[in-house]
Amino acid sequence: MDFEQVISAGVQVVEAAGAIIMVLGGALAFAVALPRVLRSSTRAQAYVGLRRDLGRAILLGLEVLIVADIIRTILVEPTVQSVVVLAVIVVIRVVLSFSLEVEMDGVWPWSRWRADPVSPVTPQPPAQ
């Protein structure tokens, strides 16, 4: 086995891991949500929890797939076309990740501090 074959096999393993994370994470999210739906006391929060857990699984899977794309660039002869293709793929996946995160949190990342319930800090008088 030469270097390119080892890297190619590694990329396939990382891609499979990304897909498995999304599939198993999605199945686990539904498995966790099902008992919540069946109990009347937690039914209202079941959908919110399912969206959050499903979004996390997709985000993690996308990040692993980005790693596979970056590793693949080691294997490919670096040309302008291959770099542009990688950049487009990474931008698409980053935009997907960003939009999923905004969808899950309900706020822009730079506005998250406004949505987080933080106890107000009382300023201390200066020491004399």
Side-chain angles (χ1 to χ4, degrees):
M1 261 187 140
D2 66 346
F3 179 73
E4 288 184 14
Q5 290 174 328
V6 170
I7 295 297
S8 180
V11 167
Q12 289 177 344
V13 167
V14 173
E15 286 176 332
I20 288 169
I21 287 169
M22 284 191 265
V23 170
L24 291 181
L28 184 60
F30 279 100
V32 168
L34 185 61
R36 292 178 185 163
V37 169
L38 297 176
R39 285 191 305 264
S40 61
S41 63
T42 57
R43 189 170 294 139
Q45 294 300 318
Y47 175 70
V48 174
L50 174 62
R51 282 186 52 169
R52 183 192 62 239
D53 295 342
L54 190 56
R56 286 179 181 167
I58 293 170
L59 279 172
L60 183 58
L62 281 172
E63 290 178 10
V64 172
L65 290 174
I66 289 171
V67 170
D69 291 332
I70 292 169
I71 294 171
R72 182 175 292 122
T73 61
I74 297 169
L75 182 64
V76 177
E77 188 70 30
T79 64
V80 173
Q81 182 179 359
S82 67
V83 171
V84 168
V85 168
L86 172 67
V88 168
I89 290 170
V90 169
V91 165
I92 289 169
R93 289 187 177 161
V94 166
V95 168
L96 282 171
S97 297
F98 180 78
S99 62
L100 276 170
E101 193 167 328
V102 169
E103 181 71 22
M104 286 181 352
D105 294 343
V107 294
W108 296 105
W110 52 84
S111 300
R112 190 171 293 134
W113 63 273
R114 292 183 201 151
D116 288 341
V118 178
S119 61
V121 177
T122 307
Q124 298 295 324
Q128 296 181 8

